[in-house]
Amino acid sequence: MKRNVVLQLTGIERHYGQGETVLSILKGADFSLHRGEIVALVAPSGTGKSTLLHVAGLLEHPDAGDVTINGNPCNGLSDERRTAIRRNEIGFVYQFHHLLPEFSAIENIMMPQLIAGLPWKEARQRASQLLDYMRIGHRGEHRPTELSGGEQQRVAIARAVANAPLVLFADEPTGNLDPETAHYVFDALEALVRQSGLAALIATHNHDLAARMDRRVTISDGKVVEF
């Protein structure tokens, strides 16, 4: 059965600098991501992995090309509309968890839901379910400093999917963890993606984890290439 395309990048260009100092990172990059699949983005540092994720996730504007999410073109949208799409349809996970230190694990997961307008009781129920799914339900009332690195990252993953996004972007989500913990965290991430049916693009240097994903792509001369 043909899966729906939830993310389409067409002819994406991204440049930094001016005049003779212009650095071209993306040069007409094309990429599509389908519902329910996990794609590994494996490329050396400095080739544009984070730039691609930021453009695709509407954190940066491309200098040329089109970004389409769930069939809706995103070029030319107001900042308010782009923010709404990021909040409701996109989830982000980074190498460092970026949890709010003054809040507990469950409160961190509730936060994006409350911002989106979900009632407190429903947000807490959803957060509790995600903590249980990530096998850290017993750590819900602990603050980030009281959690291990792997637990912090699982909370960050749960927070990223709290609003049931269509697509999840992860930038080296296990890069700050030891190999055993990295595999454990990826197991939880993969299970959550498979169960929810969302699409995920994961940048990683870990070739063992990349081999477990549905496809692997890299960035070569500013373009996205499958290998």
Side-chain angles (χ1 to χ4, degrees), residues 104-133:
S104 67
I106 195 167
E107 289 169 340
N108 267 277
I109 301 170
M110 290 173 64
M111 198 64 62
Q113 301 177 78
L114 296 174
I115 292 172
L118 200 69
W120 188 91
K121 183 176 180 180
E122 292 180 32
R124 187 172 179 86
Q125 182 179 24
R126 166 76 170 161
S128 179
Q129 290 172 344
L130 286 168
L131 282 169
D132 287 342
Y133 195 88

Side-chain angles (χ1 to χ4, degrees), residues 134-150:
M134 301 300 282
R135 299 183 180 179
I136 48 172
H138 61 295
R139 305 290 275 166
E141 301 303 329
H142 291 73
R143 294 190 179 186
T145 54
E146 301 172 309
L147 303 174
S148 69

Side-chain angles (χ1 to χ4, degrees), residues 4-214:
N4 295 329
V5 175
V6 295
L7 172 71
Q8 183 75 54
L9 306 180
T10 307
I12 297 296
E13 297 186 11
R14 190 70 176 99
H15 316 293
Y16 298 98
Q18 295 181 343
E20 296 181 358
T21 62
V22 169
L23 179 63
S24 295
I25 301 297
L26 300 176
K27 309 172 187 177
D30 299 321
F31 176 71
S32 60
L33 186 64
H34 301 80
R35 187 181 303 277
E37 75 171 344
I38 305 177
V39 176
L41 175 58
V42 184
S45 298
T47 56
K49 294 193 307 296
S50 294
T51 297
L52 184 73
L53 292 176
H54 289 171
V55 170
L58 307 185
L59 292 172
E60 293 185 29
H61 291 270
D63 294 298
D66 300 307
V67 178
T68 302
I69 296 177
N70 199 32
N72 299 309
C74 297
N75 289 14
L77 295 179
S78 66
D79 289 341
E80 182 180 7
R81 179 59 184 143
R82 288 169 67 90
T83 298
I85 292 173
R86 286 197 304 269
R87 181 178 63 236
N88 299 321
E89 300 183 17
I90 297 172
F92 283 95
V93 181
Y94 297 96
Q95 179 174 349
F96 299 98
H97 53 79
H98 298 302
L99 298 175
L100 299 173
E102 65 271 30
F103 294 103
S104 67
I106 195 167
E107 289 169 340
N108 267 277
I109 301 170
M110 290 173 64
M111 198 64 62
Q113 301 177 78
L114 296 174
I115 292 172
L118 200 69
W120 188 91
K121 183 176 180 180
E122 292 180 32
R124 187 172 179 86
Q125 182 179 24
R126 166 76 170 161
S128 179
Q129 290 172 344
L130 286 168
L131 282 169
D132 287 342
Y133 195 88
M134 301 300 282
R135 299 183 180 179
I136 48 172
H138 61 295
R139 305 290 275 166
E141 301 303 329
H142 291 73
R143 294 190 179 186
T145 54
E146 301 172 309
L147 303 174
S148 69
E151 289 171 337
Q152 290 171 344
Q153 199 64 324
R154 278 182 278 167
V155 173
I157 292 168
R159 180 182 60 184
V161 301
N163 282 340
L166 294 172
V167 59
L168 176 70
F169 297 108
D171 196 355
E172 297 289 347
T174 62
N176 199 39
L177 305 174
D178 64 80
E180 182 178 355
T181 304
H183 277 275
Y184 192 83
V185 168
F186 183 77
D187 286 345
L189 173 59
E190 181 182 26
L192 191 58
V193 170
R194 302 296 188 197
Q195 184 270 339
S196 62
L198 59 82
L201 178 60
I202 302 175
T204 181
H205 282 107
N206 190 320
H207 288 272
D208 289 337
L209 295 183
R212 295 173 52 183
M213 302 188 208
D214 299 318

